[in-house]
């Protein structure tokens, strides 16, 4: 118990030092969905799977895998139950994993970096294909006097620090010849910021879908710079190390099912939109727009992925947002372990 408390304390201390503000967001922004127990129950089945509960974290924007029910159908014969836990964004999900509430979850490229810096015992399991087009964007109200991107200098800029948005912010500032110290960063989760922004209470907002598409439809936003053309990396499925090392057979099944539904989703955006609308409560046209800006498919943790993520880590350190250099290798499995959890169908698509 002391070890768990100390690990959580380190995570929160680093989050505060990095201006992430996770504690309040985690307390207010996470709620359990379909949860029947707080911990996984360990047992060894004939299949070699050492748990009968898989605790999956997902973000408030919704999750196709959860809505489709593909994991429940595949795992029920193996007597493995799926429990879903909802979090506001990736940083809050990572904190949930850090304190032992989550086994596996999907986040952007940035949250696991700050989790590693805080000492969380996590591993990268599989990558997610990057979104396309206008996924992230610097936005101002239509009546804002700010006309050029460089005019955000000195302004309060709202985004969720420690999320995938954070890396985009750094890259966009650098491209414009600005520094992080040139803005006043304010950390508010995307889902909370959009309402205040559309009420004119936020001068500059760095948003992403679905909130961005909602603001666009209501003509409450003017885009200064979006993420198209930046070549941003995709996100990841991250696992708690102990759970991941003990359950390679289970992870291979899970990754296989996620990839199958993801491939179908990329080929059937209209059908996916209809499937998600009852969950997200979005208008159908907005939901379809969000789908077309996204990709649901996966990519293996290969050498290119590793190099790309290490560059992101080094970039955050260079900008003074990490207390020390980090080695991504410490959050990776061995090649043999990746071979055991990565379906052949995923490798063959590369």
């Amino acid at each position: 118990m002391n070890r768990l408390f100390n690990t959580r304390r380190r995570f929160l201390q680093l989050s505060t030092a990095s201006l992430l503000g996770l504690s309040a967001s985690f307390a207010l922004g996470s709620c359990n969905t379909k949860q029947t127990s707080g911990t996984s129950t360990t047992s060894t089945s004939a299949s070699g799977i050492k748990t009968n509960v898989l605790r999956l974290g997902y973000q408030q924007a919704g999750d196709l895998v959860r809505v489709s029910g593909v994991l429940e159908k595949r795992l029920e014969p193996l007597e493995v139950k799926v429990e879903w836990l909802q979090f506001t964004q990736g940083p809050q999900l990572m904190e949930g994993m850090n304190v032992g509430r989550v086994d596996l979850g999907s986040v952007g490229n940035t949250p696991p970096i700050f989790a590693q810096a805080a000492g969380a015992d996590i591993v990268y399991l599989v990558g997610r294909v990057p979104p396309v087009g206008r996924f992230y964007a610097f936005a101002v109200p239509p009546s804002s006097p700010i006309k050029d991107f460089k005019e955000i200098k000195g302004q309060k800029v709202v985004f969720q620090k420690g999320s995938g948005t954070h890396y985009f912010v750094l890259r966009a500032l650098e491209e414009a010849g600005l520094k992080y110290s040139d803005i006043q960063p304010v950390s508010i989760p995307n889902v909370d910021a959009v309402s205040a922004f559309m009420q004119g209470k936020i001068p500059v907002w760095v948003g992403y879908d679905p909130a961005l598409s909602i603001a666009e439809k209501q003509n409450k936003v003017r885009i200064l710079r979006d993420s198209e053309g930046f070549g941003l990396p995709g996100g990841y499925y991250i696992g708690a190390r102990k759970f991941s090392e003990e359950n390679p057979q289970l992870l291979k099944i899970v990754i296989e099912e996620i990839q199958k539904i993801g491939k179908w989703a990329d080929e059937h955006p209209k059908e996916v939109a209809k499937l998600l609308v009852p969950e997200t409560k979005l208008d159908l046209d907005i939901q379809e727009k969000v789908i077309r800006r996204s990709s649901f498919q996966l990519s293996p943790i290969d050498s290119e992925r590793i190099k790309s993520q290490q560059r992101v880590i080094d970039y955050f350190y260079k900008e003074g947002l990490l207390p020390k250099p980090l080695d991504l290798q410490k959050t990776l499995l061995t090649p043999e372990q990746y071979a055991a959890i990565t379906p052949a169908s995923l490798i063959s698509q590369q």
Side-chain angles (χ1 to χ4, degrees), residues 45-51 54 56 65 70-80 82 104 125-126 243 247-261 298 338-346:
S45 67
S47 65
I49 296 173
K50 295 183 179 180
T51 184
L54 171 62
L56 268 160
V65 180
V70 293
L71 292 183
E72 286 83 352
K73 294 174 186 176
R74 179 74 183 273
L75 296 177
E76 184 178 4
L78 299 175
E79 299 183 346
V80 177
V82 181
L104 175 67
L125 298 174
V126 67
F243 172 86
N247 292 281
Q249 299 95 329
L250 176 57
L251 286 177
K252 187 172 186 177
I253 292 170
V254 170
I255 292 170
E256 183 176 63
E257 290 301 319
I258 293 172
Q259 175 64 4
K260 282 163 58 177
I261 190 68
L298 304 178
Y338 279 118
I341 69 170
T342 306
S345 58
L346 180 56

Side-chain angles (χ1 to χ4, degrees), residues 129-132 135 209 266 289-297:
V129 173
V132 294
F135 187 76
D209 282 333
D266 279 0
K289 185 177 183 179
V290 172
I291 297 302
R292 293 187 182 279
R293 287 176 175 175
S294 307
S295 177
F296 294 90
Q297 295 198 56

Side-chain angles (χ1 to χ4, degrees), residues 54-192:
L54 171 62
R55 300 171 302 166
L56 268 160
Y58 74 105
Q59 297 185 39
Q60 198 162 333
D63 191 289
L64 173 63
V65 180
R66 174 179 174 270
V67 173
S68 67
V70 293
L71 292 183
E72 286 83 352
K73 294 174 186 176
R74 179 74 183 273
L75 296 177
E76 184 178 4
L78 299 175
E79 299 183 346
V80 177
K81 186 172 184 177
V82 181
E83 293 182 354
W84 293 91
L85 296 98
Q86 187 185 64
F87 297 87
T88 306
Q89 281 187 233
Q92 290 83 2
L93 194 158
M94 285 285 84
E95 185 184 351
M97 185 174 292
N98 185 56
V99 299
R101 297 182 61 201
V102 181
D103 301 317
L104 175 67
S106 174
V107 297
N109 67 303
T110 303
I113 295 173
F114 286 91
Q116 179 188 357
D121 202 9
I122 58 171
V123 290
Y124 290 75
L125 298 174
V126 67
R128 290 193 290 112
V129 173
V132 294
R134 179 181 286 176
F135 187 76
Y136 300 120
F138 280 81
V140 295
S143 60
S144 171
I146 300 174
K147 303 300 181 184
D148 182 79
F149 182 77
K150 291 185 178 182
E151 293 174 11
I152 69 171
K153 185 174 182 179
Q155 296 287 333
K156 289 183 179 179
V157 179
V158 172
F159 58 96
Q160 169 71 73
K161 296 174 186 175
S163 71
T165 320
H166 204 156
Y167 181 61
F168 166 60
V169 169
L170 295 178
R171 290 282 306 278
L173 289 172
E174 182 180 55
E175 182 192 63
L178 297 174
K179 298 178 181 179
Y180 192 61
S181 58
D182 287 331
I183 63 170
Q184 300 177 51
V186 179
S187 186
I188 301 177
N190 192 55
V191 69
D192 298 327

Side-chain angles (χ1 to χ4, degrees), residues 134 137 198 209 211-221 223 289 293:
R134 179 181 286 176
M198 290 196 294
D209 282 333
L212 182 60
S213 288
I214 293 172
E216 286 179 312
K217 183 177 180 179
Q218 297 183 23
N219 296 316
K220 296 289 184 68
V221 62
I223 304 300
K289 185 177 183 179
R293 287 176 175 175

